[in-house]
Amino acid sequence: MNDTNQIIISARDVHKWYGNFHALKGINMEVNKGEVIVIFGPSGSGKSTFIRTINRLEEHQRGEILVDGIELSHDVRNIEAVRTETGMVFQQFNLFPHLTVMQNITLAPIQVRNWSKKQAEETAMQLLGRVGIPDQAHKFPGQLSGGQQQRVAIARALAMQPKIMLFDEPTSALDPEMIKEVLDVMVELAQSGMTMLVVTHEMGFARAVADRMFFFDQGQIVEGGKPDDVFNNPKEDRTKLFLSQILSH
Amino acid sequence: MQNPQTVLPPITERSGILRWLRHNLFNTWSDAILTVIAASLIYWLTKNLLTWAVTTAEWDVVVANLRLFMIGQFPLEQAGRLWVALAFLVFLTGNSLAIWDRKSYIAAFLILGLPVFLIFLPFAPQTRIWLGVMAAAGILGWGLGYTAPQSVKRSVAIGWLIALPVFILLTRGFTPAVADVPNTPITIVPTNLWGGLLLTFLLTVVANIFSFPLGLLLALGRRSELPIIRWFSVGYIELVRGVPLITILFMAQLMLPLFLPNGQDIDRVLRAMVGMTLFSAAYLAENVRGGLQAIPKGQFEAAHALGLSSAKTMYFIILPQALRLIIPILVGQFISMFKDTALVAIVGLFDLLGIARTVLSQPEFIGLHREVYAFVSLFYWGLSYVMSYISQRLETSLGLGTR
């Protein structure tokens, strides 16, 4: 847990509509520096949509989002500034198939941060070591397993040295035996003090490293709190029902 | 239990002509019957054609007019420049084959061996010397590419970049013709004397090269968020795709002068080139757009999430993937553009087809349509096939290990 309680993400009354469908109905959340937040809930509950509003992959239509003091508005410079400080890991990895692992990782630092190629490649090698696949640097994403691809995706996001990492169901597209290798990397990252927002149903991960967790349903936060409280004493019936469904097997 | 290491891989199929025949043509009774029927059909259809080609056909018309077919009315005095330009291309081709496509010995053998083969045909002595130069240029390029380190790739790429300007410059010449002074080998040759395969080649290359960036911009423009740019792109594409190429060529030849200030005149060959470029760009734009749409949304999102701007996302992530996807379509378009250049014959230029018509109007060759058109078709087919082959090699070399 973080002692300084410095707020790095602040979302106030965030609303989002897709046509007439009200996907987010007034989300309020404040995240402190170094906190690990787990977001869970049934599909269509708006949890992915919410974390995608934080780096403006989705535009919110009402309310206010501040990331590291920068307000997300229509100003492209603000959006790019926030994206530079925010890393994202996707369910489908979204690696660039025409680039090698090394190029996948170094592209943004070279093009956005204006690093030299040498500096970017050194950092990339360090990160590949950290996620446990230093020997795959010159392969193409298509030659790697799903778990390895997702670890490359994490390294790619970390290469920009972000202040915040967003994970959008990072293990949902993986075979069971590969989930652990990705979760291990995420646990290590959480312990290193990174601010993380993780949409996931991996309750073991949540119990181990989450500082707080939030249950989303129908575009709203139903309840949130410390993992112990949410797991052991859920206040709402919907939370109880959902937890019993995903923990029953 | 069997030790896994003792399990042998299945025996690979033995090859051999008889085995191949048996496997592919006479595998079952029905296969054998179909083979016999198809073979007799092919024989029956081509027998007359082949008999005609080797007995009655008067190929003299082709032999006598070969130079016209190749370069039109281009003066003999200046034709040496064209050989030099061609030698440059042959050199680059040999060089690139050795560097990028080392393993296709057959292609290298065919391309480099072609001039050597041609030397043995009964050409004029001067032509044979030039063919020897071609062979030397090709083999020199191939040898240099084969022995040189990979770092020469860049200079070869630069060679290809300047190839078109060099070719056009050499075709055009350098010093203006002056009355009463004899022409030199570097005297400018006006474009109305450019013709035959030379003109067909230049029209194709210019139209394809210049329509590419234009089509790319139109495709991006069509997806632009700025309404004016989008409307312009959509309007242009739909307008141009809605009219036949021949009307655009007529417009370029007949209507363009109406828009120009008095006395101004644009070269007729240039007008045809511009017309074809503008036409091709509209189709290319739609092909590129197809490629762009095939790229998953996740690729844009991943690039944006890393902080890449829209332009950099397009340049580094989306276009490389989209263009690779549409290589077969692009080559198809290039080939059809090559064949469409034949339409300029109708607006009065002397490309390969235009020359064919002139040849047929000569009194001594009247009535030899079959020979002339068969020869011209064969040329179009051969060159189209070369382009198609290059595309296939390109696909294999780009597609490896990327997905």
Side-chain angles (χ1 to χ4, degrees):
Chain A
M1 264 295 253
N2 194 286
D3 302 322
T4 55
N5 277 5
Q6 195 186 347
I7 292 168
I8 193 163
I9 300 172
S10 147
R12 251 173 264 145
D13 193 32
V14 173
H15 288 260
K16 164 87 188 167
W17 286 263
Y18 292 109
N20 284 329
F21 178 67
H22 201 170
L24 296 178
K25 301 172 184 165
I27 303 291
N28 289 290
M29 192 185 288
E30 286 190 337
V31 180
N32 296 319
K33 215 171 213 175
E35 255 192 316
V36 177
I37 306 285
V38 163
I39 296 171
F40 66 110
S43 63
S45 61
K47 53 196 191 310
S48 284
T49 307
F50 174 65
I51 76 160
R52 288 158 60 89
T53 59
I54 292 172
N55 64 352
R56 195 72 168 191
L57 288 183
E58 302 287 350
E59 196 177 302
H60 61 282
Q61 286 131 341
R62 220 169 81 193
E64 182 189 62
I65 300 176
L66 285 165
V67 178
D68 198 27
I70 306 165
E71 187 183 354
L72 280 169
S73 61
H74 285 288
D75 191 330
V76 181
R77 276 167 307 173
N78 278 10
I79 295 172
E80 281 178 9
V82 166
R83 285 174 176 169
T84 311
E85 305 302 333
T86 318
M88 187 164 210
V89 176
F90 299 86
Q91 181 178 356
Q92 300 295 340
F93 327 138
N94 293 346
L95 293 177
F96 307 131
H98 62 302
L99 301 178
T100 63
V101 165
M102 180 57 91
Q103 291 166 332
N104 262 279
I105 300 175
T106 56
L107 179 72
I110 293 172
Q111 293 300 330
V112 181
R113 291 246 190 249
N114 291 320
W115 288 8
S116 70
K117 194 177 172 211
K118 186 165 169 284
Q119 185 190 3
E121 287 188 346
E122 278 168 11
T123 313
M125 279 317 294
Q126 271 172 21
L127 287 167
L128 282 174
R130 189 167 165 194
V131 300
I133 40 174
D135 45 344
Q136 314 284 2
H138 298 289
K139 288 193 183 165
F140 285 94
Q143 298 166 300
L144 305 182
S145 73
Q148 290 173 326
Q149 290 194 44
Q150 193 60 300
R151 286 186 282 160
V152 172
I154 294 173
R156 178 177 70 178
L158 289 176
M160 287 292 284
Q161 304 193 321
K163 293 178 178 161
I164 301 158
M165 284 286 283
L166 308 172
F167 292 83
D168 188 1
E169 307 208 28
T171 55
S172 302
L174 293 175
D175 290 337
E177 76 270 23
M178 292 168 184
I179 292 178
K180 187 178 175 298
E181 64 189 49
V182 171
L183 287 179
D184 285 347
V185 171
M186 289 168 63
V187 168
E188 186 269 326
L189 193 60
Q191 285 162 348
S192 75
M194 174 66 75
T195 309
M196 292 164 65
L197 262 76
V198 186
V199 173
T200 185
H201 292 145
E202 293 296 332
M203 289 301 131
F205 171 81
R207 212 186 282 272
V209 294
D211 295 306
R212 283 186 291 157
M213 50 197 295
F214 292 91
F215 176 60
F216 272 55
D217 194 19
Q218 294 176 0
Q220 287 173 312
I221 295 178
V222 176
E223 76 174 282
K226 295 189 172 161
D228 271 355
D229 298 338
V230 175
F231 280 122
N232 302 330
N233 305 303
K235 292 186 204 83
E236 301 286 329
D237 290 338
R238 278 190 284 176
T239 322
K240 276 180 206 165
L241 181 65
F242 186 77
L243 279 174
S244 72
Q245 279 165 349
I246 62 170
L247 293 175
S248 62
H249 53 78
Chain B
M1 205 180 122
Q2 203 175 16
N3 182 351
Q5 290 192 336
T6 61
V7 179
L8 294 171
I11 299 162
T12 26
E13 290 256 336
R14 271 168 295 177
S15 48
I17 293 174
L18 277 178
R19 201 181 168 83
W20 184 89
L21 282 178
R22 175 152 187 182
H23 191 79
N24 291 288
L25 298 180
F26 300 100
N27 208 12
T28 61
W29 271 108
S30 53
D31 278 10
I33 292 168
L34 279 176
T35 303
V36 170
I37 292 176
S40 9
L41 203 63
I42 293 170
Y43 173 74
W44 180 69
L45 282 173
T46 52
K47 189 188 74 172
N48 289 340
L49 182 68
L50 288 174
T51 323
W52 167 78
V54 294
T55 56
T56 34
E58 295 175 40
W59 294 111
D60 293 351
V61 58
V62 171
V63 177
N65 293 295
L66 197 56
R67 194 163 66 88
L68 266 182
F69 279 117
M70 293 299 112
I71 58 174
Q73 304 277 358
F74 204 91
L76 196 54
E77 234 182 329
Q78 280 85 31
R81 297 199 313 243
L82 299 178
W83 283 112
V84 173
L86 190 61
F88 184 54
L89 290 189
V90 174
F91 174 85
L92 283 176
T93 308
N95 211 313
S96 309
L97 269 176
I99 291 176
W100 278 287
D101 205 5
R102 228 162 243 245
K103 282 183 196 126
S104 74
Y105 290 110
I106 298 175
F109 184 75
L110 283 179
I111 290 168
L112 303 179
L114 187 64
V116 180
F117 167 74
L118 291 174
I119 288 177
F120 290 101
L121 296 182
F123 285 118
Q126 211 184 356
T127 310
R128 287 178 164 183
I129 294 173
W130 278 117
L131 284 169
V133 173
M134 296 305 117
I139 292 163
L140 181 72
W142 201 83
L144 280 179
Y146 202 84
T147 50
Q150 291 287 300
S151 55
V152 295
K153 270 185 185 179
R154 184 166 296 180
S155 48
V156 182
I158 293 171
W160 280 114
L161 270 182
I162 62 165
L164 179 64
V166 166
F167 199 97
I168 290 180
L169 214 61
L170 281 170
T171 308
R172 181 177 167 272
F174 303 94
T175 53
V178 185
D180 303 331
V181 178
N183 287 342
T184 63
I186 56 164
T187 305
I188 287 177
V189 175
T191 53
N192 57 4
L193 298 182
W194 301 11
L197 187 63
L198 170 71
L199 184 60
T200 296
F201 172 77
L202 281 175
L203 283 171
T204 311
V205 173
V206 167
N208 279 335
I209 288 183
F210 287 97
S211 64
F212 189 75
L214 205 61
L216 207 61
L217 286 179
L218 283 169
L220 295 177
R222 190 163 189 169
R223 292 167 62 104
S224 169
E225 281 166 15
L226 304 170
I228 300 287
I229 294 178
R230 191 170 62 241
W231 293 335
F232 173 80
S233 304
V234 172
Y236 179 88
I237 292 167
E238 297 304 334
L239 188 73
V240 172
R241 289 205 313 160
V243 286
L245 174 57
I246 187 70
T247 56
I248 291 184
L249 289 174
F250 270 121
M251 257 195 257
Q253 298 297 344
L254 303 172
M255 283 176 68
L256 199 64
L258 299 181
F259 296 110
L260 292 170
N262 279 342
Q264 286 262 355
D265 193 24
I266 298 182
D267 190 276
R268 278 159 54 85
V269 169
L270 186 63
R271 278 190 237 164
M273 284 175 174
V274 170
M276 297 191 60
T277 304
L278 294 179
F279 180 79
S280 179
Y283 281 86
L284 210 128
E286 285 299 90
N287 290 340
V288 171
R289 191 167 70 100
L292 292 175
Q293 278 172 348
I295 305 301
K297 205 166 141 241
Q299 293 288 307
F300 289 90
E301 290 180 348
H304 286 152
L306 286 165
L308 289 167
S309 64
S310 293
K312 282 183 175 174
T313 300
M314 214 19 107
Y315 182 77
F316 289 108
I317 308 300
I318 308 303
L319 277 181
Q321 297 185 59
L323 293 181
R324 187 174 307 185
L325 277 179
I326 59 166
I327 285 175
I329 303 174
L330 287 183
V331 174
Q333 202 196 329
F334 286 178
I335 291 175
S336 79
M337 206 63 214
F338 166 59
K339 292 180 295 180
D340 284 352
T341 56
L343 285 173
V344 299
I346 295 174
V347 294
L349 297 183
F350 295 102
D351 72 318
L352 202 48
L353 192 72
I355 288 291
R357 289 164 25 131
T358 356
V359 166
L360 285 171
S361 65
Q362 295 171 12
E364 64 267 45
F365 299 122
I366 277 176
L368 296 177
H369 293 83
R370 281 183 292 198
E371 286 82 353
V372 168
Y373 285 121
F375 173 73
V376 168
S377 313
L378 206 65
F379 240 96
Y380 276 111
W381 173 78
L383 289 172
S384 302
Y385 185 76
V386 168
M387 284 195 251
S388 174
Y389 177 82
I390 293 172
S391 133
Q392 284 166 25
R393 298 296 308 180
L394 205 65
E395 277 168 58
T396 11
S397 67
L398 284 179
L400 272 178
T402 51
R403 262 164 215 277

